[in-house]
Amino acid sequence: MITTDICIIGAGPVGLFSVFEAGLLKMRCHLIDALPQVGGQLSEIYPQKPIYDIPGYPTIKAQELVDNLMQQIAPFNPSFTLGERVETIDRREDGSLLVKTSDVTKVLCQVVVIAGGLGCFEPRKPEIAGLEHFEGRGVAYMVKNPEKFRNKEIVIAGGGDSALDWTAYLADVAKTITLIHRSDTFRGAPDSAEKVFALAEQGKINLILQSNVVSLNGNGHLKEVVVAGKDKKTYAVPSDYFIPLFGLSPKLGPIAEWGLNINKSAIEVNTVDYSTNVERIYAIGDINTYPGKLKLILTGFHEAAMMCQSAFKFVYPNQHLSFKYTTVNGVNAF
């Protein structure tokens, strides 16, 4: 069991900044995210997107902001559980909370902070015959451990950044890799598309365009994917693993079952400290709602700071927050 002061559900920018604010008050944090890496939708969906409303940065790319936040919180030694979704929160007799994930990871904490952005992200599943039957037996919606695919025959479907980037990366890992896309152009970054076209020309990957995967076959484990071309004719492509990468869909998921006040898929909070109707559970960032709410990263940073001031009383019930000002070389400081 992992023991910490604050368990933060969501490792996006607001969840990461919460670690910094908590660290200033000597509160330890453990973060859980359903995605296999930190950064939330910034890293998963648009890592190269420029952001213009972060103080001190006229412009900063999404992934660069995540990297900077990770550097900022490093001195506070946060711990992470990635690639797992929080399923339940149970209250113990002393008021502390026990958080359990989909992989039965347990985190004991004094405070839970929901910083899940728009909720947990679930993969968009294409309508393919046999898809759900082979989940966990050859169908994977994320690449958590690339080594799992070493020397395997891999088929990826999709036309966005994730499909392009993983195709290029796994080209040096897999025995064979095939990228299937319904169009002859890609939605992803032009540079990534150029890399994939170059790999195809070099014979390092198989690129099948203007085609769709229509069904999956196998006996206990996936053996092949069936592809339909523009002419509607079908043929089989051998495959140990099929990875459909059609983006992620934000959903509240199990959060909706935790007894929280929900309004239009968002959690209602008290704007004094961004607490929910359930004691010791807070909600910050895009997951919460209140009159005048602005869904900005900057707003989430403010909410994180206010939340930590309030959470302090549960972590250190016998202490009171107090700030003493001193002067260092003529400059006011805490």
Side-chain angles (χ1 to χ4, degrees), residues 29-61:
C29 295
H30 182 83
L31 297 91
I32 303 174
D33 202 298
L35 294 174
Q37 74 282 320
V38 302
Q41 58 182 313
L42 294 192
S43 297
E44 183 67 18
I45 302 176
Y46 43 75
Q48 298 304 310
K49 179 182 178 181
I51 301 174
Y52 301 102
D53 57 358
I54 302 300
Y57 292 93
T59 180
I60 185 171
K61 290 185 177 180

Side-chain angles (χ1 to χ4, degrees), residues 24-172:
L24 294 178
L25 301 176
K26 299 190 181 300
M27 295 187 291
R28 299 167 298 151
C29 295
H30 182 83
L31 297 91
I32 303 174
D33 202 298
L35 294 174
Q37 74 282 320
V38 302
Q41 58 182 313
L42 294 192
S43 297
E44 183 67 18
I45 302 176
Y46 43 75
Q48 298 304 310
K49 179 182 178 181
I51 301 174
Y52 301 102
D53 57 358
I54 302 300
Y57 292 93
T59 180
I60 185 171
K61 290 185 177 180
Q63 187 58 51
E64 184 182 358
L65 175 60
V66 172
D67 294 342
N68 287 354
L69 286 166
M70 287 295 289
Q71 182 179 354
Q72 185 179 27
I73 68 176
F76 302 112
N77 298 313
S79 52
F80 296 86
T81 295
L82 302 175
E84 299 181 26
R85 185 176 74 175
V86 173
E87 295 290 341
T88 61
I89 300 176
D90 297 318
R91 188 177 301 277
R92 309 211 324 173
E93 289 184 3
D94 62 356
S96 61
L97 301 170
L98 182 62
V99 178
K100 297 179 183 178
T101 75
S102 53
D103 286 5
V104 202
T105 298
K106 297 180 180 180
V107 180
L108 179 63
C109 59
Q110 298 300 321
V111 170
V112 167
V113 177
I114 304 172
L118 298 175
C120 63
F121 288 93
E122 297 183 1
R124 291 193 176 97
K125 300 181 181 181
E127 295 184 4
I128 297 174
L131 184 70
E132 294 187 356
H133 176 73
F134 288 104
E135 289 179 349
R137 294 183 288 178
V139 171
Y141 298 105
M142 294 182 186
V143 180
K144 295 182 181 179
N145 178 16
E147 285 301 310
K148 177 180 179 179
F149 305 106
R150 184 166 293 280
N151 299 322
K152 302 294 184 180
E153 292 181 306
I154 310 299
V155 174
I156 293 177
D161 286 312
S162 292
L164 293 170
D165 292 343
W166 281 120
T167 296
Y169 184 89
L170 292 175
D172 294 325

